[in-house]
Each structure stands twice: as C-alpha cells, then as structure tokens.
Amino acid sequence: MAACRIVIDHLGGVRRGHRQELPEDTRVRFGRHPECEVSFDAHRDIDASSRHAELRHEESGWVLVDLGSSNGTYVDGHRATESPVAQNVPVIIEFGSGGPRVRLFIGDDAEIAALPPAPVEVTKRTWLWPSVAGGIAVIAVAIMLVRC
C-alpha cells in the first residue's frame, strides 16, 4: 500500500493560494500559534484561535477535533466539535465563521495528482468603497472652496 500524505490547500485567509503537504504520521494542528503545523496569520486571521483544531489518526481512522476554539470549526459548512475525515475525500474546513478556510485531503500520490485545483476565494476589496467615498468628499470640499 502506498504511503499517504496530508494536503492542505488554503482557500481563504492570508495564506490563500498556498499548499502544504505533510506526511501521514504528522500530527496536524491548526491555529494562529506559530508552533501549529498549519499556522494562520496572528494579526489578520483573527477568527481562528491560537490553537484551534487538530487532525488525529485514531484506530477508527482520521478525525478532526476542535480544541475548544472561540469561534468554532466548520466542516463542509456544519459546525463540529469532532468530525471523521475520510481518506480520498476532500473536506472544506473553516476556522470560525468567516475565518480562514482550507481544503483538507488525505491520499497517495496518484490520488493527490487527480485532485482538482483548489477553489481559491477572491479577496474582498474592503478599501474600495471608503476610498471612493473619500475621493467624492474631497472633490465636494474643493468645489465648495472654489465657490467661496
């Protein structure tokens, strides 16, 4: 039997677009703490806790366990404290509602090669509308000053 690897595709959050591959015998901790194998940005991915969740290999198989996070762990859109993770089946995990999102996949080389590209989220341009409003305000003030 071929050795499996754990693949983490970052879909959202600061690391969006990055891929991490880890051997199957690795404990995988998710969170903002720098010691986590899957570490999120401590200042910008604030919906994730410092030690948010952990992927474990138990006798019954793989399981994702929430470590008492503040904002919860969502597996395929459903809040979960503990969720089995099937091999060869991609799972979408969100760390806090609106927090960083990853696609988790456990499989061998052939299965990983057959995995479709990760659906990376488009960044939200939260600065666009405030910038437009500010520009309009500056123009309005300039027009009022010219008329005075």
Side-chain angles (χ1 to χ4, degrees):
M1 183 173 161
C4 289
R5 286 182 290 149
I6 301 165
V7 176
I8 309 290
D9 288 313
H10 293 264
L11 309 178
V14 173
R15 296 185 66 191
R16 114 185 128 268
H18 291 112
R19 173 177 274 194
Q20 290 180 260
E21 294 189 23
L22 305 163
E24 70 176 328
D25 61 349
T26 304
R27 172 179 65 170
V28 181
R29 296 168 296 177
F30 299 85
R32 291 183 294 131
H33 196 279
E35 290 180 1
C36 291
E37 287 73 25
V38 179
S39 168
F40 304 115
D41 188 276
H43 302 290
R44 294 187 282 172
D45 289 327
I46 59 173
D47 291 315
S49 295
S50 61
R51 290 179 176 88
H52 198 104
E54 184 173 281
L55 178 66
R56 301 174 182 162
H57 192 256
E58 299 178 348
E59 289 181 21
S60 59
W62 293 96
V63 63
L64 181 74
V65 179
D66 183 280
L67 300 175
S69 67
S70 301
N71 296 319
T73 301
Y74 296 82
V75 179
D76 287 332
H78 301 284
R79 190 167 183 159
T81 54
E82 195 169 297
S83 179
V85 177
Q87 203 166 311
N88 305 323
V89 178
V91 177
I92 305 297
I93 305 167
E94 185 173 15
F95 300 91
S97 181
R101 290 169 39 100
V102 301
R103 176 177 70 177
L104 168 66
F105 185 80
I106 304 166
D108 64 23
D109 290 339
E111 293 153 346
I112 291 169
L115 190 63
V120 178
E121 297 172 354
V122 177
T123 59
K124 297 175 185 172
R125 296 186 178 177
T126 57
W127 55 267
L128 183 61
W129 290 113
S131 299
V132 170
I136 292 171
V138 167
I139 292 170
V141 168
I143 291 171
M144 290 173 59
L145 288 174
V146 169
R147 288 186 175 181
C148 288

